[in-house]
């Protein structure tokens, strides 16, 4: 991005819109570009202090004298137009004034006046807001988050003031990688927090860094940082799916890049509701050691302002990329994008635009964001989602077979009692033929409630009675389950290792 900004300034683009919340870092980069390549002066405007010259080492929030003659944006833009010297004019937080017809008109006048001159206006703001009148004349750039080199410099400067022993090189690398996605100021704060908390800076401060990233997610409001306490031992069956995920446990490492492996893009889990698709996402996060972010599509849609929903999605994806490597979890994608193909009549095309933006991002993303999506109704998914290139693999999670049901019973009974020897687990699994994992768990809970109400320990017969009183989803929605299996037989990979081909159950 910095190279592109340098090219745009040198190519005499009149107005550039720079989206960033890091004023000081962005200002220093702009000053270096202007002074090194074109020997231009840089002026910064704020509504509190007007227009004044700045230099590379000046902080963005420095207290300086006020230029009352240019405090209004209209007067500042007029001063830019009158100025004859080659310069770059940095307008900070001008977006609240872009609702004013007068300010927009002066910017249009400035575009005409600055053509073929060595003067450029940069509108710098954490919010992208471009009036319709200026859309054809403004170039929008996103200022990137600091990379490894910049964060290493922050850590080096922090350690240079410390009295304790310097961190080993491998520990420094782990700590710097953990801070990827934070701004320079956030990284500095988290290092100070670690020193205050533990008295010194160590590799163990990675947990403090992760807590800072959780705050970043909470501020976003659309993404949810999911706490993970489950392991693969909590998942019964699905051995083929587990093996596929274990093969990619180190897929985001530098060793994998050196080997020539591309970064995995994502996977789609199709299947019957209650068969462990969401649980797999949580256990994968634990296996890979990556944070798990849940994208709530319900929060993305916002009809309060035109374009707000699309902006919400862009911000959410940008936040996920900023803290990568990470897993982005989208539950029940069939409901989130069911109306994407033809939403012009229902919501003015908002769903279609969001759908298109998400598809483009999935296809072109270079960041280490692994998309893990689940769906129950494949007929509701647009065909564009299912083609190769969007996901690395599409898995079908079927109802558990006899052996898998035995494993599921063993897992859930072991969670609730120290010993399971008094239960005939093969018999229980046989009684619950056609049950999903969630339905098996609910049968055990129902049996426990029955015994608890009678002030006794629950037994094998209690579970059998609760199971026979339950009508599983495979019976209430036989046609839907059968249709899903027919589709998946030739189009998806089975998650269970023992399944060579899917066979229709007789209910």
């Amino acid at each position: 991005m910095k190279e592109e900004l340098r090219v745009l300034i040198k190519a005499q683009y009149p107005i550039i819109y720079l989206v960033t919340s890091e004023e000081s870092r962005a200002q220093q980069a702009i000053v270096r570009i202007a002074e090194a390549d074109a020997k231009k002066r840089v002026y910064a405007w704020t509504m509190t202090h007007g227009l004044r010259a700045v230099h590379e080492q000046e902080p963005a929030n420095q207290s300086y004298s006020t230029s009352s003659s240019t405090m209004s944006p209209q007067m500042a833009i007029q001063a830019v137009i009158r100025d004859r010297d080659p310069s770059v004019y940095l307008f900070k937080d001008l977006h609240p004034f872009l609702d004013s017809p007068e300010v927009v008109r002066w910017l249009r006048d400035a575009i005409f006046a600055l053509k073929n001159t060595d003067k450029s206006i940069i509108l710098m703001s954490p919010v992208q807001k471009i009036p319709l009148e200026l859309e054809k004349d403004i170039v929008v750039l996103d200022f990137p988050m600091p990379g490894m080199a910049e964060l290493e410099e922050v850590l080096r400067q922090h350690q240079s003031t410390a009295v304790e022993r310097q961190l080993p090189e491998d520990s420094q690398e782990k700590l710097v990688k953990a801070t990827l996605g934070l701004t320079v100021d956030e990284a500095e704060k988290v290092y100070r927090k670690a020193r205050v908390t533990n008295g010194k800076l160590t590799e163990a401060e990675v947990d403090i860094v992760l807590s800072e990233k959780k705050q970043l997610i909470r501020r976003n409001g659309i993404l949810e940082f999911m706490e993970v306490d489950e392991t693969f031992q909590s998942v019964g069956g699905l051995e083929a799916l587990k093996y596929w995920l274990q093969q990619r446990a180190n897929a985001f490492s530098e060793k994998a890049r050196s080997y020539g492996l591309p970064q995995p893009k994502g996977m789609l889990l199709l299947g019957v509701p209650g068969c462990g698709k969401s649980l797999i996402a949580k256990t994968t996060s634990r296996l890979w050691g990556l944070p798990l972010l849940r994208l709530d599509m319900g929060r993305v849609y916002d009809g309060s302002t035109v374009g707000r929903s699309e902006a919400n999605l862009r911000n959410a994806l940008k936040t996920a990329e900023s803290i990568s490597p990470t897993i982005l979890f989208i539950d029940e994608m069939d409901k989130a994008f069911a109306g994407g193909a033809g939403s012009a009549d229902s919501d003015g095309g908002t769903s279609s635009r969001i759908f298109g933006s998400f598809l483009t991002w999935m296809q072109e993303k270079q960041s280490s964001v692994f998309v893990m999506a689940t769906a129950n109704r494949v007929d509701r998914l647009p065909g564009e989602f299912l083609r190769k290139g969007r996901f690395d693999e599409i898995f079908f999670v079927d109802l558990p077979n006899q052996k898998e049901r035995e494993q599921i019973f063993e897992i859930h009974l072991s969670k609730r009692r120290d010993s399971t020897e008094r239960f005939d687990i093969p018999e229980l699994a046989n009684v619950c033929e056609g049950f999903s994992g969630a339905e098996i768990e609910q049968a055990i809970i129902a049996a426990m409630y029955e015994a608890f109400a009678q002030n006794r320990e629950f037994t094998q017969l209690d579970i059998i009675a609760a199971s026979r009183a339950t009508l599983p989803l495979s019976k209430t929605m036989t046609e839907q389950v059968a249709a899903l299996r027919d589709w998946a037989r030739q189009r998806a990979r089975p998650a269970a290792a023992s399944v060579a081909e899917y066979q229709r159950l007789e209910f």
Side-chain angles (χ1 to χ4, degrees):
M1 193 290 310
K2 294 178 183 178
E3 176 61 22
E4 186 175 1
L5 180 60
R6 184 189 68 80
V7 171
L8 293 177
I9 292 174
K10 203 166 186 178
Q12 300 178 345
Y13 273 61
I15 296 190
I16 303 165
Y17 201 118
L18 189 62
V19 183
T20 180
S21 59
E22 295 186 272
E23 279 193 357
S24 180
R25 181 168 158 263
Q27 176 177 296
Q28 291 177 14
I30 291 168
V31 172
R32 285 195 294 269
I33 291 171
E35 293 183 348
D37 289 347
K39 306 299 182 186
K40 295 181 180 180
R41 294 293 305 274
V42 176
Y43 295 86
W45 175 88
T46 63
M47 65 176 294
T48 52
H49 298 288
L51 194 66
R52 70 177 294 276
V54 296
H55 302 283
E56 180 179 351
Q57 298 305 321
E58 291 182 357
N61 58 350
Q62 174 178 303
S63 176
Y64 39 69
S65 60
T66 298
S67 176
S68 57
S69 61
T70 57
M71 287 182 66
S72 74
Q74 298 93 322
M75 298 301 294
I77 297 171
Q78 291 181 53
V80 170
I81 294 174
R82 291 194 302 267
D83 194 5
R84 300 293 182 185
D85 297 329
S87 304
V88 175
Y89 307 91
L90 182 59
F91 281 73
K92 302 178 184 178
D93 293 335
L94 189 67
H95 62 274
F97 299 94
L98 294 179
D99 291 325
S100 166
E102 186 180 359
V103 172
V104 172
R105 182 64 255 177
W106 271 112
L107 284 173
R108 297 191 72 184
D109 291 343
I111 290 170
F112 179 79
L114 268 59
K115 281 183 179 179
N116 302 319
T117 69
D118 283 330
K119 298 190 293 183
S120 297
I121 293 175
I122 297 179
L123 309 181
M124 186 167 69
S125 169
V127 178
Q128 181 177 326
K129 181 179 179 181
I130 301 176
L132 183 63
E133 299 90 334
L134 300 175
E135 282 184 352
K136 299 294 185 181
D137 298 297
I138 290 183
V139 178
V140 181
L141 295 179
D142 288 303
F143 194 71
M145 301 294 287
M148 286 283 291
E150 290 179 272
L151 293 173
E152 284 174 355
E153 178 63 19
V154 174
L155 180 59
R156 187 192 66 78
Q157 293 179 359
H158 187 82
Q159 289 193 112
S160 66
T161 61
V163 295
E164 69 261 14
R165 183 175 58 86
Q166 299 293 297
L167 284 174
E169 187 174 339
D170 57 340
S171 297
Q172 290 187 40
E173 182 179 357
K174 288 181 180 179
L175 197 54
V176 170
K177 281 187 175 181
T179 57
L180 281 172
L182 300 180
T183 66
V184 168
D185 288 340
E186 288 170 335
E188 290 175 346
K189 286 189 292 186
V190 82
Y191 292 147
R192 290 197 298 270
K193 181 179 178 181
R195 188 182 299 281
V196 171
T197 303
N198 297 328
K200 61 180 179 179
L201 195 62
T202 67
E203 181 186 332
E205 268 53 69
V206 170
D207 289 338
I208 296 179
V209 176
L210 291 178
S211 71
E212 192 72 16
K213 288 189 173 183
K214 291 179 184 179
Q215 290 294 328
L216 181 68
I217 297 303
R218 291 191 185 102
R219 292 196 295 267
N220 176 271
I222 298 172
L223 294 173
E224 176 188 354
F225 198 104
M226 299 183 67
E227 300 290 345
V228 178
D229 55 3
E230 302 282 2
T231 65
F232 267 2
Q233 284 67 41
S234 302
V235 182
L238 310 182
E239 298 302 328
L241 175 55
K242 291 179 183 177
Y243 179 74
W244 190 90
L245 292 168
Q246 287 168 339
Q247 278 189 319
R248 288 154 179 79
N250 296 314
F252 294 105
S253 65
E254 289 300 322
K255 184 178 180 181
R257 299 291 81 73
S258 300
Y259 192 78
L261 286 172
Q263 293 185 142
K265 290 186 174 182
M267 65 186 300
L268 176 61
L269 297 177
L270 300 172
V272 183
C275 288
K277 300 187 295 296
S278 300
L279 180 60
I280 279 291
K282 297 177 182 179
T283 55
T284 302
S285 172
R286 182 77 173 267
L287 174 68
W288 289 2
L290 299 181
L292 179 63
L293 307 180
R294 179 176 176 270
L295 176 60
D296 187 345
M297 293 303 301
R299 296 180 182 177
V300 169
Y301 289 95
D302 183 350
S304 61
T305 308
V306 176
R308 182 64 180 174
S309 300
E310 296 89 323
N312 285 342
L313 179 64
R314 286 195 301 270
N315 291 336
L317 296 178
K318 188 187 299 184
T319 301
E321 288 183 323
S322 72
I323 68 168
S324 62
T326 187
I327 298 174
L328 184 65
F329 177 50
I330 308 175
D331 200 13
E332 298 187 345
M333 181 181 273
D334 48 330
K335 295 181 178 63
F337 292 107
S343 68
D345 295 333
S346 59
D347 61 7
T350 298
S351 295
S352 295
R353 292 191 296 272
I354 288 179
F355 171 64
S357 297
F358 188 76
L359 279 182
T360 302
W361 175 78
M362 284 190 64
Q363 183 66 33
E364 299 180 357
K365 70 180 176 71
Q366 300 296 323
S367 57
S368 305
V369 178
F370 186 83
V371 178
M372 183 170 283
T374 70
N376 298 322
R377 294 286 299 273
V378 68
D379 56 302
R380 292 183 178 179
L381 281 175
E384 297 92 324
F385 263 133
L386 303 176
R387 79 164 179 81
K388 287 293 183 181
R390 307 290 188 201
F391 297 100
D392 297 319
E393 192 60 86
I394 300 175
F395 278 95
F396 176 61
V397 183
D398 204 350
L399 291 168
N401 57 28
Q402 172 72 19
K403 182 179 178 182
E404 290 173 332
R405 291 195 299 274
E406 291 178 11
Q407 294 178 12
I408 293 170
F409 265 110
E410 184 70 38
I411 290 169
H412 287 299
L413 289 172
S414 297
K415 285 182 178 179
R416 292 162 175 84
R417 293 295 182 268
D418 294 334
S419 175
T420 62
E421 294 179 357
R422 61 190 177 90
F423 297 101
D424 186 349
I425 291 181
E427 180 189 14
L428 293 174
N430 186 57
V431 170
C432 290
E433 184 176 1
F435 278 49
S436 67
E439 289 165 341
I440 289 173
E441 182 181 18
Q442 289 306 309
I444 295 174
I445 292 173
M448 294 179 68
Y449 269 114
E450 179 69 23
F452 180 76
Q454 300 177 24
N455 197 27
R456 61 177 176 82
E457 182 67 2
F458 72 103
T459 65
Q460 177 100 357
L461 293 177
D462 292 319
I463 299 177
I464 292 175
S467 302
R468 288 178 174 168
T470 301
L471 191 63
L473 191 66
S474 59
K475 290 187 177 181
T476 59
M477 304 187 70
T478 304
E479 296 81 5
Q480 181 179 323
V481 173
L484 183 57
R485 282 178 169 161
D486 284 342
W487 185 93
R489 183 180 291 113
Q490 299 297 330
R491 299 176 178 87
R493 184 171 174 176
S498 60
V499 180
E501 72 178 88
Y502 305 119
Q503 301 191 3
R504 200 184 303 268
L505 294 178
E506 299 294 333
F507 297 118

